[in-house]
Amino acid sequence: MSALFEPYTLRDLTIPNRVWMPPMCQYSAAPEGPSVGAPHDWHFAHYAARAAGGTGLIIVEATAVSPEGRISPYDLGIWNETQVEAFRRITEFLKAQGTVPAIQLAHSGRKASTDRPWKGGAPVGPDAYGWQGLAPSAVAFDERHPVPSELTVAEIREIVGQFVAAARRALDAGFEIAELHGAHGYLINEFLSPHSNRRTDEYGGSYENRTRFALEVVDAVREVWPADKPLFFRISATDWLEEGGWSADDTVRFAAQLHEHGIDLLDVSTGGNASGVRIPAGPGYQVPFAARVKAETRMPVAAVGLITDVEQAEKILANDEADAVLLGRELLRNPSFARLAARELGGDVHVPDQYHRSV
């Protein structure tokens, strides 16, 4: 049997195949008004198409735990009941197609309040729905970004509570898996890395102190997330800095700790916390980081990063480099990747009744 189409079970949940969709921001929510941060027709059509195409697991894009946790004014959020109700339409449809709905809970930290990428992605001010970013330290991401406000200990604890409230709402919205966003230079990642964390209190300095906030979020969310449902963590395995940053060694060490704290799978990406670095991007360039975590810990992993064809995806799983593959841009180009891969490899995949005549 094809490795891509073997079901995968975590806790009491079985995912029908290993073709998964990672979080990809759409920057398409309303920036103000009663439906601010809520998904609408674009989001429904976007996710529904990939579910109808046979994708086993869909992780909804970075969804902010608070208004100031958004990357842009146009991001999704899950801090109120209007947003919860709007998400239910999506989760119900995904489940009806046999797809497991997941959501990435996020806080943007110092990389907040930016415009949409196709508008240049520059930081925006109050005249364009912007706000002040928050961070472990008053250090800007780059020369374009403003200096963020350094969080107090009381504010850190408040944000932990926001993750907990968001997890409860995600469950109410019908999601089966929650993923905590600890990658790409956003708030949790900012605490982990000495490149962005210059604190001298219990949340900065040593490895133990820099990982404290992340583990507090994990523990608090795991306490309210049902014991029979998986909890994921997305990590940037390296800052791609020669020194002074988060490293692959740190990731392996932290993965083992996360597993002990109740994380069921590590979604392994890289970069995003340091500007101006050179990243050797190429087909599957991030897979070795996932493979190392899998080889050196008991943590299940998903691999991501320029995985674009069926043979490549199948080989990653067959070689035991990962437990699942996350196809981002390829699923944007081809919503039915899973269905077409099943035809090529002889696997089974859910096909909507309406499509059977063409299968």
Side-chain angles (χ1 to χ4, degrees):
M1 180 179 181
S2 161
L4 270 179
F5 294 97
E6 290 181 8
Y8 190 58
T9 299
L10 290 167
R11 297 195 182 241
D12 292 347
L13 180 70
T14 297
I15 303 165
N17 61 54
R18 315 293 180 99
V19 180
W20 298 358
M21 179 174 170
M24 290 179 284
C25 290
Q26 298 299 293
Y27 304 103
S28 297
E32 63 176 350
S35 61
V36 61
H40 53 74
D41 286 351
W42 169 262
H43 303 91
F44 179 85
H46 170 64
Y47 293 113
R50 279 83 197 160
T55 308
L57 169 73
I58 290 176
I59 308 176
V60 168
E61 64 203 76
T63 303
V65 301
S66 66
E68 60 273 14
R70 293 171 293 169
I71 301 166
S72 84
Y74 306 92
D75 282 15
L76 294 180
I78 194 162
W79 65 79
N80 65 41
E81 294 308 309
T82 299
Q83 296 157 348
V84 170
E85 185 62 33
F87 274 121
R88 287 198 189 106
R89 180 187 178 208
I90 293 173
T91 60
E92 289 170 2
F93 185 86
L94 266 55
K95 290 176 183 178
Q97 306 310 308
T99 297
V100 174
I103 186 171
Q104 185 183 69
L105 304 178
H107 193 296
S108 59
R110 67 179 183 170
K111 294 175 75 175
S113 189
T114 60
D115 204 350
R116 291 162 290 189
W118 56 88
K119 296 288 188 178
V124 296
D127 59 334
Y129 311 111
W131 62 93
Q132 177 74 30
L134 305 171
S137 302
V139 179
F141 172 66
D142 61 18
E143 65 280 357
R144 293 200 312 170
H145 283 72
V147 175
S149 295
E150 183 169 311
L151 290 162
T152 66
V153 171
E155 288 171 331
I156 291 170
R157 291 171 181 163
E158 181 181 354
I159 291 173
V160 173
Q162 291 170 349
F163 273 95
V164 170
R168 287 194 173 107
R169 290 192 178 98
L171 184 65
D172 191 32
F175 289 101
E176 297 293 329
I177 296 173
E179 176 174 272
L180 302 175
H181 196 353
H184 301 159
Y186 300 120
L187 187 63
I188 293 176
N189 189 190
E190 291 166 18
F191 271 91
L192 293 175
S193 174
H195 177 72
S196 46
N197 185 345
R198 314 288 175 83
R199 299 177 74 95
T200 58
D201 63 2
E202 65 266 41
Y203 288 97
S206 68
Y207 167 91
E208 288 76 15
N209 284 354
R210 287 183 285 105
T211 58
R212 188 183 307 278
F213 172 65
L215 293 177
E216 286 180 350
V217 172
V218 168
D219 289 344
V221 171
R222 184 74 268 181
E223 189 172 336
V224 301
W225 195 249
D228 62 342
K229 295 185 185 297
L231 184 63
F232 291 3
F233 190 99
R234 185 166 231 196
I235 197 163
S236 280
T238 176
D239 285 339
W240 295 106
L241 292 168
E242 292 185 5
E243 58 183 26
W246 183 262
S247 70
D249 290 342
D250 293 326
T251 293
V252 171
R253 179 181 178 183
F254 193 47
Q257 288 180 270
L258 288 171
H259 195 57
E260 293 171 356
H261 283 254
I263 292 296
D264 299 290
L265 180 138
L266 195 66
D267 174 357
V268 184
S269 187
T270 65
N273 192 45
S275 64
V277 296
R278 297 185 64 182
I279 299 176
Y285 72 104
Q286 296 177 139
V287 174
F289 296 97
R292 183 178 169 192
V293 171
K294 184 170 174 60
E296 297 183 27
T297 74
R298 295 184 296 114
M299 175 72 83
V301 298
V304 66
L306 293 181
I307 301 170
T308 60
D309 65 68
V310 174
E311 182 180 354
Q312 177 195 20
E314 178 77 5
K315 185 177 179 181
I316 290 167
L317 300 181
N319 289 349
D320 204 28
E321 295 176 284
D323 299 286
V325 290
L326 291 155
L327 294 96
R329 289 174 176 84
E330 188 59 29
L331 275 172
L332 294 182
R333 290 186 287 264
N334 182 2
S336 296
F337 179 94
R339 190 145 42 91
L340 296 174
R343 290 179 64 182
E344 183 173 328
L345 298 174
D348 293 323
V349 69
H350 173 79
V351 178
D353 292 339
Q354 295 89 336
Y355 290 176
H356 271 290
R357 72 187 71 184
S358 64
V359 174

